[in-house]
Amino acid sequence: MSTKHVNKEMSDVSRHILDVAAIHFAEKGFAGARVDEISAEAGISKSSIYYRVGDKEALYHGVIVHMVSSMLEVTRDRVQKVSDAREKLDVFIQTTADFVLSCPHFSPIMMREIASGGANMSTETLTAMGKLKDYLHEILQEGTAQGVFRQVDSGLVHLVIGGAVNFFAASTPIRDKLIQLSDEHECKCLLIEKEAVVNEISEFVYRAVKADR
Amino acid sequence: MSTKHVNKEMSDVSRHILDVAAIHFAEKGFAGARVDEISAEAGISKSSIYYRVGDKEALYHGVIVHMVSSMLEVTRDRVQKVSDAREKLDVFIQTTADFVLSCPHFSPIMMREIASGGANMSTETLTAMGKLKDYLHEILQEGTAQGVFRQVDSGLVHLVIGGAVNFFAASTPIRDKLIQLSDEHECKCLLIEKEAVVNEISEFVYRAVKADR
Amino acid sequence: MSTKHVNKEMSDVSRHILDVAAIHFAEKGFAGARVDEISAEAGISKSSIYYRVGDKEALYHGVIVHMVSSMLEVTRDRVQKVSDAREKLDVFIQTTADFVLSCPHFSPIMMREIASGGANMSTETLTAMGKLKDYLHEILQEGTAQGVFRQVDSGLVHLVIGGAVNFFAASTPIRDKLIQLSDEHECKCLLIEKEAVVNEISEFVYRAVKADR
Amino acid sequence: MSTKHVNKEMSDVSRHILDVAAIHFAEKGFAGARVDEISAEAGISKSSIYYRVGDKEALYHGVIVHMVSSMLEVTRDRVQKVSDAREKLDVFIQTTADFVLSCPHFSPIMMREIASGGANMSTETLTAMGKLKDYLHEILQEGTAQGVFRQVDSGLVHLVIGGAVNFFAASTPIRDKLIQLSDEHECKCLLIEKEAVVNEISEFVYRAVKADR
DNA sequence: TATGAATGAGTGTTCATTCAT
DNA sequence: GATGAATGAACACTCATTCAT
């Protein structure tokens, strides 16, 4: 892998390339994505992609690093603005969900990455993900100290939140297909209204972690 | 795609090929898996794979169909054996988790499949997955009718269970890497003992769906 | 580099591929040769070249190893047949020249290889070349012991023989161009009749190494 | 090919570019050399190389023309200073050797050029090389007239001198490798002391061409 | 039934060259 | 004069697939 312009501010062209690349990596995965297609869709020659960003691997890492660091930044900013533990948990979940839902490439890429055992994850990315888990850990610990949350494993909660939010975000096309297949019984679920679902997940998690009384 | 021997009993050789293929599809995804490598590892010539199973896509579908139908079968069998709604929910989660954890290729393959929007999922597979969701729907409806569960969206619960269990199963390598990176603070989570985690997830879900009083 | 069929008898197809490759490596060098052109000229698909022989580097090594080992074998056979030191020296030179002149790819490939400092020469090849030098060393030592040759450095003699023979073999096209350029004065040299040149070189070397009286 | 500034005095910058280029062409050949690398090592932008010197071919010709014309000039100057035929021959060989050994790029480039049949040699270069051969021809003719040299083909002698000197100069790295491979028997050759080798070659050639009595 | 051999259509990557500034 | 940016045209190499045996 070669990475270029690493410490410089990223140019608009590079940003555009990475945005297009993100779509392709999300839809087809690293191995399935085609540099030709990315270049064609970005309206930039293949050689220019190599000139600007580097090889396919650099493209992939550029996409992931940008996503994860953005998420980390957004989450930190928004969680810091509230003080109540329960509210913090809600904000954490809402922020996670907002980010994942507003950036449709995030879930597919992350889920594939997890599926491959983080084979292509840099330490940088892993550290950023670890920080996110640490935020949640602090929130839960604070809530437990205040008696609003029960003693609960933060890793597990993170798993549930991440799992639910990412599965929800990524499974939209599959759910659509499932709905079309089962026309006999009405769709009994609200999984269409995104906002409602996120609120439900938040409520769901709160109920699961709140102190027994 | 060509599929051969679809309705025949699958031979031991074909079974072996699909087992090896599952490992490769799980580790590298459809695009990343190599027919050469599968053939080499299975100890069967590439041409024989084409003769026995079909092309790469047939191989992939063979793997998925087998997995999903196995899961469906196992879940139905075990859920039928209990009668109490709460217990059924627990059995549903335990069975899901047992299956996912005992078949390490399941989560990676499914997560990639979801990430790609079910691009390679046959109607057969989708129907099977829909049935699984229906089981859960019935369990929850029964519990709600009995007053032990609150009114809750079954799609959402399915999402949470699937998300948590699959993320847990698939994220083991990444969690290991994260632990190695953060040696300063003790690992504060129990995410190592599989059985305990599954119980926690079950408890977690029960708390989230149980009736308010 | 990947090498295939290493220990097997080389098939006719592989032999043919290497023969064509030799021409291209001789004319254009390793970097300048094109696998596409070799494949086209050999009438064999590019993929088949990779299937049979391996990558470009394997192709190159295949060519070199075959040449050097052939030369070693031929030289040993022919030198063994004579007993007189002077005659041996003559046979050594004649054999070297015969081989180099009958295999027109040898000189260009060897000269480029020497020019690049043996960057692509395997130990196998180097050892074979070393053996050749050892043969000459023995011949000269024997002659010196018998009083027919003066005390002379075998490395130097090898250099002179190799240099002259290879320069002669490889410089034919350049000499032709030079002759065309200088039409005013008759070509004063006999460098057209190969056999005569080789005899001259042999005579030349003998005069240079023969004992003073 | 485009050549610029051909008739102008060459600037220091262009001289520097050609010097760096010479190293790369010597080490990797025309096809193997990289304009990027030359530009990077010369500390001059690629575009500037095109602006100053021209394309890759112009770079190559610039290097060769400079080398050959330098050699021609040096040889003429030094040969003119002596009058005795034998001494002239010695000076010719010494000058050739001095030039080749002091300019380490000469032999590799020339040997590759010969190997490729002079495919990239301009008439200018060929003429210069022809002149060199003519000098030698005159020297030998003079010596023959004076009865100190036997009747000998000047082309052949040129071949032997050129072959020996260039092979000696270019084969240093390979000889080093050969020496490392054969540690059991002492290195029986003096091919390490450059000056001695050149004297040996001169002696060698003299013995080969001197009149029989 | 089984496979070695062969290959077409990609696939990521390189590199000499150009051009606007 | 000088160069960063951009790219077309290769280029080595891969891989799923086929077919004669």
Side-chain angles (χ1 to χ4, degrees):
Chain A
M1 182 193 55
S2 73
T3 315
K4 294 173 182 177
H5 305 284
V6 248
N7 292 322
K8 295 181 193 174
E9 265 308 298
M10 186 162 286
S11 73
D12 286 355
V13 180
S14 300
R15 193 59 275 135
H16 176 61
I17 293 168
L18 290 184
D19 286 345
V20 174
I23 300 171
H24 286 255
F25 287 132
E27 284 174 359
K28 326 257 188 91
F30 180 81
R34 300 293 162 223
V35 179
D36 288 79
E37 287 177 13
I38 294 170
S39 107
E41 196 177 313
I44 282 151
S45 75
K46 234 189 323 178
S47 341
S48 292
I49 290 186
Y50 280 86
Y51 177 70
R52 288 279 193 178
V53 184
D55 63 12
K56 198 183 178 185
E57 222 167 307
L59 221 44
Y60 187 67
H61 279 111
V63 168
I64 290 207
V65 166
H66 179 252
M67 276 180 172
V68 173
S69 56
S70 295
M71 192 182 202
L72 184 62
E73 199 181 340
V74 171
T75 308
R76 184 182 35 204
D77 288 357
R78 284 181 50 183
V79 169
Q80 277 174 347
K81 285 188 187 136
V82 293
S83 50
D84 178 52
R86 180 182 174 172
E87 208 177 343
K88 270 186 179 167
L89 178 62
D90 184 58
V91 167
F92 183 90
I93 295 171
Q94 295 283 349
T95 309
T96 305
D98 284 359
F99 189 89
V100 165
L101 291 169
S102 71
C103 173
H105 327 312
F106 185 90
S107 291
I109 290 177
M110 276 304 146
M111 284 174 72
R112 285 186 216 265
E113 205 46 57
I114 290 169
S116 73
N120 304 302
M121 268 187 167
S122 62
T123 308
E124 192 183 354
T125 311
L126 279 170
T127 315
M129 289 185 65
K131 280 228 180 88
L132 233 30
K133 214 184 74 175
D134 290 345
Y135 288 163
L136 181 64
H137 182 73
E138 284 164 30
I139 293 169
L140 292 172
Q141 217 165 18
E142 198 182 316
T144 307
Q146 293 170 5
V148 294
F149 296 157
R150 68 184 174 104
Q151 194 79 27
V152 71
D153 185 87
S154 70
L156 183 81
V157 179
H158 195 217
L159 217 57
V160 172
I161 296 171
V165 168
N166 281 295
F167 259 59
F168 173 58
S171 65
T172 312
I174 287 191
R175 288 201 316 273
D176 289 348
K177 288 185 183 175
L178 265 169
I179 289 168
Q180 286 186 319
L181 281 176
S182 62
D183 39 16
E184 78 262 24
H185 49 10
E186 299 303 296
C187 178
K188 351 175 182 40
C189 54
L190 60 105
L191 294 183
I192 286 129
E193 194 61 46
K194 287 180 179 185
E195 218 171 311
V197 174
V198 177
N199 285 332
E200 269 291 311
I201 293 176
S202 186
E203 169 78 12
F204 194 102
V205 172
Y206 171 65
R207 279 171 179 271
V209 303
K210 73 173 175 192
D212 274 338
R213 184 145 309 266
Chain B
M1 178 191 61
S2 74
T3 315
K4 294 172 182 177
H5 305 284
V6 250
N7 292 320
K8 296 182 193 171
E9 262 311 297
M10 186 159 287
S11 72
D12 284 357
V13 178
S14 300
R15 192 59 275 135
H16 175 60
I17 294 169
L18 290 183
D19 285 345
V20 173
I23 300 170
H24 285 256
F25 288 132
E27 283 174 0
K28 325 250 189 99
F30 179 80
R34 302 288 163 230
V35 179
D36 288 75
E37 287 176 15
I38 294 169
S39 117
E41 196 178 314
I44 282 143
S45 77
K46 243 194 308 181
S47 324
S48 293
I49 290 184
Y50 278 82
Y51 179 74
R52 292 267 197 185
V53 184
D55 63 14
K56 197 183 180 185
E57 222 166 309
L59 223 42
Y60 188 66
H61 280 110
V63 168
I64 290 207
V65 166
H66 179 251
M67 276 180 173
V68 174
S69 57
S70 295
M71 191 182 203
L72 184 63
E73 198 181 343
V74 172
T75 308
R76 187 180 39 211
D77 287 357
R78 284 181 49 183
V79 170
Q80 277 175 347
K81 286 189 187 136
V82 293
S83 50
D84 178 50
R86 180 181 174 173
E87 209 177 342
K88 272 186 177 167
L89 178 61
D90 185 58
V91 169
F92 183 90
I93 295 171
Q94 295 284 349
T95 309
T96 306
D98 282 1
F99 189 88
V100 165
L101 291 169
S102 71
C103 172
H105 325 315
F106 185 89
S107 290
I109 290 176
M110 276 301 146
M111 284 175 73
R112 283 187 218 264
E113 205 44 58
I114 291 168
S116 73
N120 304 302
M121 268 186 166
S122 62
T123 307
E124 191 183 355
T125 312
L126 279 169
T127 314
M129 289 184 66
K131 282 231 180 86
L132 234 30
K133 214 183 76 175
D134 290 345
Y135 288 163
L136 181 63
H137 183 71
E138 283 163 29
I139 294 169
L140 292 172
Q141 217 165 20
E142 197 183 317
T144 309
Q146 291 171 7
V148 293
F149 295 159
R150 66 182 175 107
Q151 193 79 25
V152 71
D153 186 272
S154 69
L156 182 82
V157 179
H158 195 215
L159 218 55
V160 172
I161 296 171
V165 168
N166 281 294
F167 260 58
F168 172 59
S171 66
T172 312
I174 288 192
R175 288 201 317 272
D176 289 348
K177 288 184 183 175
L178 267 169
I179 289 168
Q180 285 186 319
L181 281 176
S182 63
D183 40 13
E184 79 260 29
H185 49 10
E186 300 302 297
C187 179
K188 357 175 180 37
C189 52
L190 60 104
L191 296 184
I192 285 130
E193 193 61 47
K194 286 181 181 186
E195 218 171 311
V197 174
V198 177
N199 285 333
E200 269 291 312
I201 292 175
S202 187
E203 168 79 11
F204 195 100
V205 172
Y206 171 66
R207 281 170 177 269
V209 303
K210 75 174 174 192
D212 275 338
R213 184 149 308 269
Chain C
M1 179 191 61
S2 74
T3 316
K4 294 171 184 177
H5 304 284
V6 250
N7 292 322
K8 295 182 193 170
E9 263 309 297
M10 187 161 288
S11 73
D12 286 355
V13 180
S14 301
R15 196 53 280 134
H16 176 61
I17 293 169
L18 290 184
D19 286 345
V20 174
I23 300 170
H24 285 256
F25 287 132
E27 284 175 359
K28 325 257 189 92
F30 179 81
R34 302 293 161 223
V35 179
D36 287 80
E37 287 177 14
I38 294 169
S39 107
E41 195 177 315
I44 281 152
S45 76
K46 230 192 320 180
S47 340
S48 292
I49 290 186
Y50 282 86
Y51 177 70
R52 288 280 192 177
V53 185
D55 63 12
K56 199 184 177 184
E57 222 167 307
L59 221 44
Y60 188 66
H61 279 111
V63 168
I64 290 208
V65 166
H66 179 251
M67 276 180 172
V68 174
S69 56
S70 294
M71 191 183 202
L72 183 62
E73 200 182 341
V74 171
T75 308
R76 184 184 32 203
D77 287 356
R78 284 182 48 184
V79 169
Q80 277 175 347
K81 286 190 185 133
V82 292
S83 50
D84 179 51
R86 179 181 176 174
E87 207 177 344
K88 272 188 179 168
L89 177 62
D90 184 58
V91 168
F92 183 90
I93 295 171
Q94 295 283 350
T95 310
T96 305
D98 283 359
F99 189 89
V100 165
L101 291 169
S102 71
C103 172
H105 327 312
F106 185 89
S107 290
I109 290 176
M110 276 303 146
M111 284 174 73
R112 285 186 216 266
E113 205 47 57
I114 290 168
S116 73
N120 304 304
M121 268 187 167
S122 61
T123 307
E124 191 183 354
T125 312
L126 278 169
T127 313
M129 288 184 65
K131 280 230 180 85
L132 234 29
K133 215 183 73 175
D134 290 346
Y135 287 164
L136 181 61
H137 183 72
E138 283 165 29
I139 294 170
L140 291 172
Q141 218 166 19
E142 198 182 316
T144 308
Q146 293 170 7
V148 293
F149 296 157
R150 66 183 176 104
Q151 193 80 25
V152 70
D153 185 270
S154 69
L156 183 82
V157 179
H158 196 216
L159 217 55
V160 172
I161 295 171
V165 169
N166 281 295
F167 260 58
F168 172 59
S171 66
T172 312
I174 287 191
R175 288 201 317 274
D176 289 348
K177 288 184 184 176
L178 266 169
I179 289 167
Q180 285 186 320
L181 281 175
S182 64
D183 40 15
E184 78 261 26
H185 48 11
E186 300 304 297
C187 179
K188 0 178 178 31
C189 54
L190 62 106
L191 295 182
I192 285 127
E193 194 62 47
K194 287 181 179 185
E195 219 171 311
V197 175
V198 177
N199 285 332
E200 269 292 310
I201 292 176
S202 188
E203 169 77 11
F204 195 101
V205 172
Y206 171 65
R207 280 171 178 270
V209 304
K210 73 172 176 194
D212 276 335
R213 185 149 310 267
Chain D
M1 177 194 57
S2 74
T3 316
K4 294 172 185 177
H5 305 283
V6 248
N7 292 321
K8 295 183 194 171
E9 262 308 297
M10 187 159 286
S11 72
D12 285 357
V13 179
S14 299
R15 192 62 271 136
H16 176 60
I17 292 168
L18 290 183
D19 286 346
V20 173
I23 300 170
H24 285 255
F25 288 132
E27 284 174 358
K28 326 249 188 100
F30 179 79
R34 302 288 162 231
V35 178
D36 287 76
E37 286 176 16
I38 294 169
S39 120
E41 195 176 313
I44 281 143
S45 76
K46 242 194 308 179
S47 325
S48 292
I49 290 184
Y50 278 82
Y51 179 74
R52 292 268 196 185
V53 184
D55 64 13
K56 198 183 179 185
E57 223 165 308
L59 223 43
Y60 187 67
H61 279 110
V63 168
I64 290 208
V65 167
H66 179 252
M67 276 180 171
V68 174
S69 57
S70 294
M71 192 182 202
L72 184 62
E73 198 181 342
V74 171
T75 308
R76 184 181 38 210
D77 288 357
R78 284 182 50 184
V79 170
Q80 276 175 349
K81 285 187 186 139
V82 293
S83 50
D84 178 50
R86 180 182 175 172
E87 207 176 342
K88 272 187 178 168
L89 178 62
D90 184 58
V91 169
F92 183 89
I93 295 171
Q94 295 284 350
T95 310
T96 305
D98 283 359
F99 189 88
V100 164
L101 291 170
S102 71
C103 172
H105 325 314
F106 185 89
S107 289
I109 290 176
M110 276 303 146
M111 285 174 73
R112 284 187 219 264
E113 206 45 57
I114 291 168
S116 72
N120 303 302
M121 268 187 166
S122 63
T123 308
E124 192 183 354
T125 311
L126 279 170
T127 315
M129 288 184 66
K131 282 229 181 86
L132 234 29
K133 214 183 75 175
D134 290 346
Y135 288 164
L136 182 63
H137 183 72
E138 284 163 29
I139 294 170
L140 292 172
Q141 217 164 21
E142 198 183 317
T144 308
Q146 292 171 8
V148 291
F149 296 157
R150 67 181 173 107
Q151 193 79 27
V152 72
D153 185 271
S154 67
L156 182 81
V157 180
H158 196 214
L159 218 56
V160 172
I161 295 171
V165 169
N166 281 294
F167 260 58
F168 172 58
S171 67
T172 312
I174 287 192
R175 289 202 314 274
D176 288 348
K177 287 184 184 175
L178 266 169
I179 289 168
Q180 285 186 320
L181 281 175
S182 63
D183 40 14
E184 79 260 27
H185 48 11
E186 301 302 297
C187 178
K188 358 179 177 33
C189 53
L190 60 106
L191 295 184
I192 285 131
E193 194 62 49
K194 286 181 179 184
E195 219 170 311
V197 174
V198 177
N199 286 332
E200 269 290 312
I201 292 175
S202 187
E203 168 78 12
F204 196 100
V205 172
Y206 172 67
R207 280 171 178 268
V209 304
K210 75 173 176 194
D212 275 337
R213 185 152 309 268

